[in-house]
Amino acid sequence: MSDPVRIDDTLWEIPADAREDMRVPARVFADADLLAAIRTDRSLEQLQNVATLPGIVEAAIAMPDIHQGYGFPVGGLAATAPPDGVVSPGGVGYDINCGVRLLATPFTHGELDARRRGALVEAIARRAPTGAGKGGPLALRGAELDAVLEQGPRWLVEHRNVGTDADVRATESEGCLEGADPGQVSARARERGAGQLGTVGSGNHFIEVQRVEELIDRDTAEDFGLRKGQVTVLIHSGSRGLGHQVCTDYVRTMDAGLGRHGIVLPDRQLSCAPLDSDEGRAYLAAMAAAANFAWANRHAIAHGVRRATADVLGADAAAGTRQVYDVAHNVAKLEEHGGRVVCVHRKGATRAFPGQPVFIPGSMGTASYVLAGREGSMKRSFGTVCHGAGRRLSRTAAKKQVDGTALRRELEAAGVAVRAASTRGLAEEAPLAYKDVDAVVRVVEVAGLAGRVARLRPIGVVKG
């Protein structure tokens, strides 16, 4: 692997001539310390592999939370353009439209004593099931599931009285990608997702109850409806088993078709197909359907959070809980950049158009941030920033270093109420397994991609 060359305070580049098969440079937003952490796994090698994709434009780009993933590194970004451009399921990931949704409550941390804080976290855990394979409150099949795959959360508002129109409007793409076709989603994928709306899942997914610790940009915070001391709820989940199966199905299909399209790759995990091919169009239609399902899932989880709030604090508190925004992490979207339409793959990365709310979660015991996208993101990163702190340790390594039971005690002692499906899962997501979120956010701000608006501190967490 070639050494990155420093371009400025926050940008490093591996030039396109570092390897014969690279079509564009590989660029990383990071400071020196973060780059050193990034270099401990294969993520930079994977980024160079991404730079070999047919039709890729400008650069293969990585955010400061980059870490090794499937094909693309997590925190990776690539835009491809016709006529040669491809779409790669590895550039979206197995958890299609994993993303985050922030709710702002009408009450403050000072109004939520320790007893009620614990009761609220417990009620949320009951209303929004966690853990691998867990079923949820909405089991949809047949035409009803098809409708959600096509329309996303709006169908739940109109036909199940779940959530509100305001929630839909405060969602990226209003929770619905055009071109979604349930007919391109396999029967196996549909069966895996049929009972999972309104569920959190496992791994790094969570529901976190927080307090607004600091307002950094007061005017924008006011626009977002945030105030100091306010209690917020951050929901992190995705398309569950349905999206995982969609990725599995199309990786297999595209891998089998590489020779037919004359595509040679350094890593078969990058399997792809031309945007205008039958396989490419089918994947985009199935991915859009899975993305709509994920938005509907977070929409249903938010409904569960409101019901839990009503259980503990009353109907007025639930009715006053409003959605700030919902952003996707793992999608491929057709967007116009630089005067042309490109397919932007965001793998563990967040859309950050100017003025748009952006959420960068920490890891249980650390802070999370609300930011607003800036013009620099359109010029430097196809309107994109990072999606979190980024892993520093693998889940296996974290479990070797952390005792889940001890971690639970530490969090509780620090005032964070914890409900977790397993202590092993808790250990996998320990704060020490992640990079320094403050450093990651500082890089994207100095780079001009997004600006800090507020800092949030956890007071309760529900983990899968």
Side-chain angles (χ1 to χ4, degrees):
M1 186 190 70
S2 301
D3 287 330
V5 176
R6 190 163 204 161
I7 304 301
D8 60 32
D9 287 346
T10 59
L11 185 64
W12 307 74
E13 180 177 283
I14 299 173
D17 61 6
R19 274 174 32 185
E20 291 185 0
D21 57 350
M22 289 174 63
R23 302 171 190 263
V24 293
R27 295 176 184 155
V28 186
F29 288 98
D31 62 21
D33 290 340
L34 286 170
L35 186 68
I38 290 166
R39 296 184 66 153
T40 61
D41 65 18
R42 293 184 55 244
S43 54
L44 290 182
E45 178 187 346
Q46 289 186 321
L47 191 67
Q48 289 181 263
N49 292 343
V50 172
T52 72
L53 287 175
I56 188 170
V57 298
E58 191 171 322
I61 301 172
M63 293 295 137
D65 60 339
I66 180 181
H67 54 281
Q68 186 174 328
Y70 180 90
F72 275 55
V74 179
L77 161 70
T80 59
D84 301 322
V86 296
V87 62
S88 172
V92 172
Y94 277 90
D95 192 0
I96 295 168
N97 189 4
C98 175
V100 288
R101 174 174 299 217
L102 185 67
L103 306 178
T105 76
F107 50 89
T108 67
H109 176 239
E111 297 172 280
L112 199 65
D113 60 27
R115 181 185 62 80
R116 290 200 293 177
R117 182 176 70 245
L120 178 59
V121 172
E122 184 67 43
I124 290 172
R126 287 196 305 269
R127 293 289 191 179
T130 62
K134 287 294 181 66
L138 286 169
L140 303 179
R141 287 179 168 79
E144 291 184 326
L145 179 58
D146 284 354
V148 168
L149 295 177
E150 279 192 272
Q151 302 172 39
R154 189 171 296 283
W155 187 89
L156 295 179
V157 174
E158 295 176 353
H159 297 274
R160 285 291 187 273
N161 198 30
V162 170
T164 68
D165 284 329
D167 297 338
V168 175
R169 291 192 299 271
T171 300
E172 179 182 339
S173 301
E174 295 199 348
C176 185
L177 292 186
E178 294 182 3
D181 182 359
Q184 301 299 338
V185 177
S186 69
R188 174 61 178 152
R190 294 146 73 93
E191 183 58 32
R192 289 184 66 182
Q196 293 189 324
L197 282 177
T199 64
V200 176
S202 58
N204 64 341
H205 295 156
F206 61 79
I207 302 173
E208 190 166 281
V209 182
Q210 307 160 323
R211 60 182 172 89
V212 179
E213 180 182 53
E214 180 185 6
L215 297 180
I216 300 157
D217 179 345
R218 291 181 178 274
D219 290 341
T220 304
E222 184 177 354
D223 291 342
F224 290 174
L226 299 173
R227 65 186 191 279
K228 189 170 182 179
Q230 182 179 29
V231 172
T232 59
V233 181
L234 191 65
I235 297 165
H236 180 204
S237 190
S239 51
R240 302 298 320 275
L242 185 143
H244 192 284
Q245 190 65 45
V246 166
C247 184
T248 298
D249 293 340
Y250 282 93
V251 164
R252 187 180 300 121
T253 297
M254 290 185 181
D255 185 63
L258 289 173
R260 186 170 66 257
H261 294 297
I263 296 174
V264 178
L265 299 170
D267 181 356
R268 294 188 81 96
Q269 290 185 0
L270 291 174
S271 289
C272 55
L275 289 163
D276 62 354
S277 67
D278 290 343
E279 303 101 301
R281 286 190 293 268
Y283 171 72
L284 287 170
M287 182 216 65
N292 296 347
F293 181 88
W295 273 312
N297 183 34
R298 291 195 291 277
H299 185 90
I301 293 171
H303 183 69
V305 169
R306 286 191 176 112
R307 293 181 69 189
T309 302
D311 293 341
V312 177
L313 299 166
D316 288 346
T321 297
R322 52 175 290 278
Q323 181 169 312
V324 178
Y325 203 63
D326 181 301
V327 289
H329 292 159
N330 297 352
V331 289
K333 298 179 77 172
L334 298 177
E335 297 173 353
E336 185 174 326
H337 291 275
R340 60 179 168 181
V341 174
V342 295
C343 181
V344 183
H345 298 70
R346 295 185 177 99
K347 165 79 168 287
T350 303
R351 194 186 74 169
F353 287 3
Q356 174 205 303
V358 174
F359 311 127
I360 308 299
S363 54
M364 292 189 290
T366 64
S368 295
Y369 282 91
V370 178
L371 301 92
R374 288 183 174 169
E375 287 289 346
S377 71
M378 305 304 287
K379 299 173 183 176
R380 308 189 75 186
S381 63
F382 296 97
T384 307
V385 296
C386 57
H387 84 312
R391 293 200 75 92
R392 187 179 67 84
L393 297 176
S394 69
R395 288 183 169 85
T396 299
K399 284 187 292 186
K400 289 179 179 178
Q401 296 189 32
V402 178
D403 178 86
T405 301
L407 175 60
R408 184 193 295 269
R409 287 197 298 266
E410 290 173 14
L411 291 170
E412 296 275 4
V416 181
V418 179
R419 299 296 180 273
S422 70
T423 54
R424 183 177 64 178
L426 201 61
E428 290 176 352
E429 299 302 315
L432 68 77
Y434 286 84
K435 299 182 179 76
D436 180 354
V437 68
D438 295 318
V440 167
V441 168
R442 186 164 53 247
V443 166
V444 300
E445 187 167 47
V446 172
L449 307 183
R452 292 176 302 156
V453 174
R455 178 182 169 101
L456 313 177
R457 178 69 64 179
I459 59 174
V461 63
V462 177
K463 293 285 292 185

